[in-house]
Amino acid sequence: MTQKQSVTAALLVIGDEILSGRTKDQNIGFTAEFLTKIGIDLAEVRVVPDIQKEIVAALNALRVRYDYVFTTGGIGPTHDDITADAVAAALGLELIEDPRAIALLLEIIKPENLNEARRRMARIPRGADLIENPISKAPGFWIQNVIVMAGVPSIMQAMLNAVAPKLSTGAPMIAETIVAGNVPEGTYAADLARLASDHSQLSIGSYPHVVDGKFHNQIVVRGKDAELVGQVVEKVRAMITRLSAG
Amino acid sequence: MTQKQSVTAALLVIGDEILSGRTKDQNIGFTAEFLTKIGIDLAEVRVVPDIQKEIVAALNALRVRYDYVFTTGGIGPTHDDITADAVAAALGLELIEDPRAIALLLEIIKPENLNEARRRMARIPRGADLIENPISKAPGFWIQNVIVMAGVPSIMQAMLNAVAPKLSTGAPMIAETIVAGNVPEGTYAADLARLASDHSQLSIGSYPHVVDGKFHNQIVVRGKDAELVGQVVEKVRAMITRLSAG
C-alpha cells in the first residue's frame, strides 16, 4: 500500500456543555496533538450543540471533505445523548441494538439492571465496527469514515488509542520550534515572511505569548520534508541570533 | 429598546497552532463562559487554519446565521497573520491602513521602528470600530456583526471586556447543577428524559466525569425562566434523593 502524502481529519465536538462554558473542552487539544504525531493532519474543528439537525449538518459537511471525521460526546444513556441517532441519520443508515454492544454492557451491568436507558448505549448504526471502551465498556463505533467517541476525556483517549493502529496515516508533520524570546515579532516579521515565501511547502508561524505583560515569541517551522525543515530552522536561528545581537 | 429573548454568537478560532496541537486553546472555554454570563448564547465554534479561503468560507457561513461572530487569532505583524485580509475579503470591504490604529501603535513603538511588518497591525477594514488592546496596543476591530480579537488569551480577554458593554444581550441563561454523584446515569436516565420531555423549553443535560476510574455525575438544568428552572431543579433533586436511598 502506498502511503498518501497527506491524510486529513476533522473533529466534531458535540455538546451544549462546551458551548455554555460549563465544561472546558480537553479533547480538541489532545486529539490535535495525537493525530499530528501519527501523521494525520487535523484540518478543521467544529463544536455544535445537542441538536440533531446541527450535528447532521456539520457531519455531512465534514465527512465529504476530510479523510476522517472524529466525533466526541453524546454517546451515554441519557436523553441528551443523541450522537448515534444523528450519525445514522446523516449516513442514511438504520440504528440497531447491536448484540455485540449488549454483550459488552453485560460485562459490567447485571442483566436485571440493563434497562431501556442503558440499552441506548448499544444503539449503533448497522454495519459499524465497535471501538473498545476499557473504562466503562459502552463502546464507540466506526462507520465509513466517521469515528464516534465518548466525551469523557479519559474514555475518549482510550478510544483514540484503540483505533489508531487501524487508521491510514500520511507522512508525519515535523515541527521545530525556535525560541525568539523577547526579540519582537515586528523586528523579524519581514525576514520571516521572505523565508516563508521562499519555502511555500512549509508552514512557518510566529507565536507570541504574554507572561507578566511581556511578550515571549516562538517561531515554528512545520513540514513533511525533514531535511528542508532542518535547513530552514537553521536560517531562522541565524536570523534570531543576528537580531538579538543587533 | 426591547430585549431580544435570545442573542446568538459563533466563535471562529483561527490558527494552525491550535489544529497541530502545539497550542492548547484557552479562548473557547473563556468566551463560552463569558458570553453565557452576559446573555449571549454561543451556538457554534469552528477552528480553521491560517488559509484565507478557509477563514472566508467559515466567516461567511457563520455571520449570516448568528447575531455575532467573534474571531480569535491572526492579527499580529507576521506573514501568517491574515485575519484582517480574510475579514475584508469576506465582507467585500477595502482594507486600509487606519490612522487611529497607527496612532495607537506609536504609543509603544518609536516612529523609526514602525516598519512595514508592524504597520500590518494597523490594516483594518474600512468603516470598522477599533477594539482597545491595553496590553500591547495593536487593536482588534468590530465591523458589522464580526468582532475580531487577538489570539493571545490575556489580550483576547481584555478585548472581550472592552466590547461587552456595547453588545446586545438577551435574557441570560440560568444554569443550575445538581450533583448526582455516584448514582449511575442509567438509573435516572428514564426519569430525566420524562422531565426533559415535559419541559421542552429547558435544556437538561447529564454530565459524567471519571475520577480514578469511577463516574461522578452531574445534572444541569438550563433555561431563561428562573422560576421554571427552580421548579425542575427541585424535581431533579427529589429524584436523585429517592434513587440514592433506593
Side-chain angles (χ1 to χ4, degrees):
Chain A
M1 221 172 87
T2 54
Q3 195 182 43
K4 283 177 70 175
Q5 180 64 12
S6 168
V7 175
T8 59
L11 173 63
L12 180 59
V13 174
I14 298 164
D16 290 353
E17 71 278 19
I18 306 297
L19 292 168
S20 74
R22 183 193 167 277
T23 300
K24 301 296 179 286
D25 171 80
Q26 300 170 43
N27 295 335
I28 297 173
F30 186 90
T31 304
E33 201 168 347
F34 187 98
L35 294 179
T36 300
K37 261 186 205 145
I38 65 171
I40 294 177
D41 301 333
L42 183 63
E44 181 171 349
V45 178
R46 297 196 192 183
V47 186
V48 296
D50 299 319
I51 297 173
Q52 181 164 323
K53 73 176 167 56
E54 298 296 331
I55 304 169
V56 169
L59 191 56
N60 280 336
L62 297 172
R63 71 190 179 90
V64 298
R65 196 158 177 215
Y66 304 107
D67 295 316
Y68 296 110
V69 181
F70 295 84
T71 77
T72 65
I75 62 168
T78 57
H79 65 280
D80 54 327
D81 291 307
I82 59 169
T83 298
D85 307 74
V87 172
L91 302 183
L93 294 173
E94 191 189 356
L95 197 62
I96 58 162
E97 186 175 281
D98 190 305
R100 299 168 301 173
I102 291 286
L104 288 168
L105 293 175
L106 285 172
E107 291 181 19
I108 52 158
I109 299 170
K110 291 182 190 149
E112 64 270 28
N113 289 338
L114 191 61
N115 58 21
E116 192 186 329
R118 292 192 170 102
R119 295 185 97 96
R120 276 178 67 82
M121 294 188 284
R123 292 157 69 243
I124 308 281
R126 189 185 288 284
D129 289 323
L130 302 189
I131 301 171
E132 193 192 1
N133 167 357
I135 292 170
S136 56
K137 295 298 170 186
F141 59 87
W142 179 343
I143 179 82
Q144 297 174 16
N145 67 337
V146 179
I147 292 162
V148 173
M149 307 186 293
V152 173
S154 56
I155 302 177
M156 193 282 298
Q157 293 168 20
M159 289 179 172
L160 206 47
N161 274 309
V163 297
K166 299 168 199 160
L167 295 168
S168 300
T169 55
M173 186 70 82
I174 297 149
E176 292 268 1
T177 299
I178 303 99
V179 175
N182 58 6
V183 179
E185 283 192 300
T187 308
Y188 60 71
D191 288 350
L192 197 67
R194 261 189 300 275
L195 269 179
S197 154
D198 288 350
H199 302 92
S200 59
Q201 66 277 59
L202 300 180
S203 153
I204 303 179
S206 174
Y207 303 113
H209 59 281
V210 173
V211 182
D212 296 333
K214 287 192 175 154
F215 277 96
H216 295 255
N217 300 319
Q218 297 189 323
I219 296 165
V220 177
V221 178
R222 297 191 313 129
K224 305 210 164 192
D225 177 339
E227 199 181 321
L228 184 62
V229 168
Q231 287 166 5
V232 172
V233 163
E234 284 316 307
K235 288 181 186 171
V236 174
R237 283 222 178 89
M239 174 188 87
I240 294 299
T241 304
R242 178 166 46 77
L243 291 171
S244 304
Chain B
M1 223 171 88
T2 55
Q3 196 183 41
K4 283 176 70 174
Q5 180 64 11
S6 168
V7 175
T8 59
L11 173 63
L12 180 59
V13 174
I14 298 163
D16 290 353
E17 71 278 19
I18 306 296
L19 292 168
S20 74
R22 183 194 167 276
T23 300
K24 301 295 177 287
D25 171 80
Q26 300 170 44
N27 294 336
I28 296 173
F30 185 90
T31 304
E33 201 168 348
F34 187 99
L35 293 179
T36 299
K37 261 186 205 144
I38 64 171
I40 294 176
D41 301 334
L42 183 62
E44 181 171 351
V45 177
R46 297 195 191 183
V47 186
V48 295
D50 299 319
I51 297 173
Q52 180 163 324
K53 75 176 165 56
E54 298 296 332
I55 304 170
V56 169
L59 191 57
N60 280 336
L62 297 172
R63 71 190 179 90
V64 297
R65 197 160 176 214
Y66 304 106
D67 294 316
Y68 295 110
V69 181
F70 295 83
T71 77
T72 64
I75 62 168
T78 56
H79 64 280
D80 53 327
D81 290 306
I82 60 170
T83 298
D85 307 73
V87 171
L91 302 183
L93 292 172
E94 190 188 356
L95 198 62
I96 58 163
E97 185 175 282
D98 190 305
R100 298 167 304 173
I102 291 286
L104 288 167
L105 293 175
L106 285 171
E107 290 180 18
I108 52 158
I109 299 170
K110 290 183 192 150
E112 65 269 29
N113 290 337
L114 191 60
N115 59 21
E116 193 186 330
R118 292 193 170 102
R119 295 185 96 98
R120 276 177 68 81
M121 295 189 283
R123 291 157 69 245
I124 308 281
R126 189 184 289 283
D129 289 323
L130 302 189
I131 301 171
E132 193 192 0
N133 167 356
I135 293 170
S136 57
K137 295 298 170 187
F141 60 87
W142 180 344
I143 178 82
Q144 297 175 16
N145 67 337
V146 179
I147 292 163
V148 172
M149 306 185 294
V152 174
S154 57
I155 302 177
M156 193 282 299
Q157 292 169 20
M159 288 178 172
L160 206 47
N161 273 309
V163 297
K166 298 169 200 159
L167 295 168
S168 300
T169 55
M173 186 69 83
I174 296 149
E176 292 268 1
T177 299
I178 302 100
V179 175
N182 57 7
V183 179
E185 282 192 301
T187 308
Y188 60 71
D191 287 351
L192 197 68
R194 261 190 300 277
L195 269 179
S197 154
D198 289 349
H199 301 93
S200 60
Q201 65 278 60
L202 301 179
S203 153
I204 303 180
S206 174
Y207 303 113
H209 60 281
V210 173
V211 182
D212 294 334
K214 288 193 173 153
F215 277 95
H216 294 256
N217 300 318
Q218 297 190 323
I219 296 165
V220 177
V221 178
R222 297 191 315 128
K224 305 210 165 191
D225 177 338
E227 200 181 321
L228 184 62
V229 168
Q231 286 166 8
V232 172
V233 164
E234 283 318 306
K235 288 181 186 171
V236 174
R237 282 221 178 91
M239 175 189 86
I240 294 298
T241 303
R242 179 167 45 78
L243 292 170
S244 303

